[in-house]
Amino acid sequence: MKEEEKNRNGKSRGKKKTGPVTLILILVLLLVMGYSGYQILSQLLHYKQGQDSYKNLRNEVIRTEEVPPYATLATPAWTVPAVEPTAPEAQAVTLPGETEEETGPDGSRASRTPHGSPLSPSEETDEMRGDITYDPAETFSSEPQVLPWYDIDFARLKSINPDTVGWLYGMDGVVNYPVVQGSDNEYYSHRLLDGTEQFCGTLFADARNNYLQDDITYIYGHKMKDGSMFGHFGRYDTYDYYRTHPTFRLFTPDGIYELQVITCVYTTEKEPLRFNFSDAAEF
């Protein structure tokens, strides 16, 4: 038998009993840990369900063509930049509601947001960037990505949802989704193509756009934490990635478009958008 320790009075001292308060705290901590684990697993399952749905859709509506059915505007001169472009000198042009520059007493400049709070350019960019969801140490092949030629069954897509307007591919297939355009900019934010509620939503063109007819057509997608949808767009912070992934391919019922990546801009959801410009110089 284990010899019990005796105190100074010679009485035996057994194990200290756990008080009711301690037991309650342990129980609360276990409940919190269990609930947190449930939330994490639930979120991961939610992500998987959304991506499984798109995987099944791809298998149903995509057929790869061996011969390109449409001509392309892409040329090697711009699809594979040899060196990083030199940034043009910034011009002091401010559109209504956009960020303005403020000159301080010492001649320094800082940006002022529409809400009036001055930020340095770097601080402003970092604040907008947030979690860019990519590994800065990731290395990329020196060979450019090969964009596939898809024969998309748009008749089938439109039978599922008549709001379908295209299919966007890029980033080695990380982006490989249908594009819709609804009557507002909320509905498809958290709904799949068939209308099922799902956090990842569907890529959608701005409801205010005259699709592919305006000077700028905006397509929205979530920056999902698992890297799906537009989750890896932060990779364009890395020039090596841009150099090997300078284009996207947009399939539509009327033709195929090559989309060249011109620039990466960090902004906010409150930034005013322009769809058209008065002339080519303003654009």
Side-chain angles (χ1 to χ4, degrees):
M1 294 179 60
K2 183 177 180 181
E3 185 177 342
E4 293 183 332
E5 184 181 355
K6 295 183 179 181
N7 59 19
R8 293 179 180 178
N9 296 326
K11 295 182 179 180
S12 299
R13 186 174 69 180
K15 293 183 179 179
K16 187 177 180 180
K17 292 184 178 180
T18 303
V21 175
T22 304
L23 288 174
I24 292 174
L25 287 175
I26 293 174
L27 180 60
V28 169
L29 287 173
L30 289 174
L31 288 174
V32 170
M33 290 173 62
Y35 180 75
S36 299
Y38 168 77
Q39 290 294 324
I40 293 173
L41 290 175
S42 178
Q43 186 179 51
L44 292 175
L45 180 61
H46 219 51
Y47 285 179
K48 186 178 185 302
Q49 288 173 342
Q51 292 313 305
D52 284 348
S53 175
Y54 281 118
K55 182 179 179 180
N56 294 334
L57 184 65
R58 293 183 196 111
N59 293 334
E60 183 178 354
V61 302
I62 293 178
R63 182 168 63 89
T64 304
E65 290 280 5
E66 294 183 1
V67 179
Y70 300 99
T72 173
L73 298 176
T75 62
W78 60 260
T79 55
V80 186
V83 295
E84 183 169 4
T86 302
E89 186 175 344
Q91 299 179 0
V93 177
T94 302
L95 301 175
E98 283 190 338
T99 301
E100 299 176 352
E101 282 196 338
E102 185 179 81
T103 303
D106 58 353
S108 61
R109 289 188 173 186
S111 296
R112 178 173 291 278
T113 66
H115 301 287
S117 57
L119 296 170
S120 69
S122 60
E123 288 173 339
E124 186 176 37
T125 300
D126 289 341
E127 182 179 279
M128 292 175 178
R129 180 183 288 113
D131 176 17
I132 55 179
T133 320
Y134 84 103
D135 181 3
E138 187 176 4
T139 57
F140 309 105
S141 169
S142 60
E143 297 298 321
Q145 72 166 332
V146 177
L147 295 171
W149 290 99
Y150 283 159
D151 179 15
I152 306 289
D153 188 350
F154 280 106
R156 172 58 182 150
L157 287 172
K158 285 184 173 291
S159 71
I160 299 173
N161 189 332
D163 287 343
T164 303
V165 294
W167 190 285
L168 185 64
Y169 180 97
M171 304 181 75
D172 295 316
V174 171
V175 176
N176 193 10
Y177 302 102
V179 180
V180 297
Q181 185 177 36
S183 58
D184 59 50
N185 288 341
E186 295 294 333
Y187 182 81
Y188 289 110
S189 180
H190 298 300
R191 290 182 185 271
L192 299 178
L193 188 70
D194 62 3
T196 302
E197 290 191 16
Q198 185 65 251
F199 183 81
C200 65
T202 305
L203 302 187
F204 63 94
D206 196 299
R208 298 165 292 180
N209 262 129
N210 184 7
Y211 183 68
L212 298 183
Q213 300 301 313
D214 291 333
D215 291 334
I216 297 179
T217 294
Y218 295 91
I219 298 177
Y220 303 106
H222 286 296
K223 184 176 66 64
M224 299 293 286
K225 290 184 178 180
D226 65 351
S228 60
M229 307 306 284
F230 286 172
H232 280 300
F233 268 29
R235 286 176 171 175
Y236 281 100
D237 265 8
T238 306
Y239 180 71
D240 285 344
Y241 188 83
Y242 161 70
R243 184 181 178 279
T244 54
H245 300 80
T247 54
F248 285 73
R249 185 160 282 168
L250 178 64
F251 301 86
T252 76
D254 302 319
I256 298 177
Y257 295 81
E258 296 277 311
L259 309 180
Q260 180 188 2
V261 179
I262 300 294
T263 187
C264 180
V265 178
Y266 292 95
T267 182
T268 71
E269 60 185 15
K270 296 180 180 179
E271 190 76 14
L273 302 179
R274 295 193 65 178
F275 299 90
N276 292 290
F277 298 80
S278 60
D279 53 40
E282 185 186 21
F283 178 73

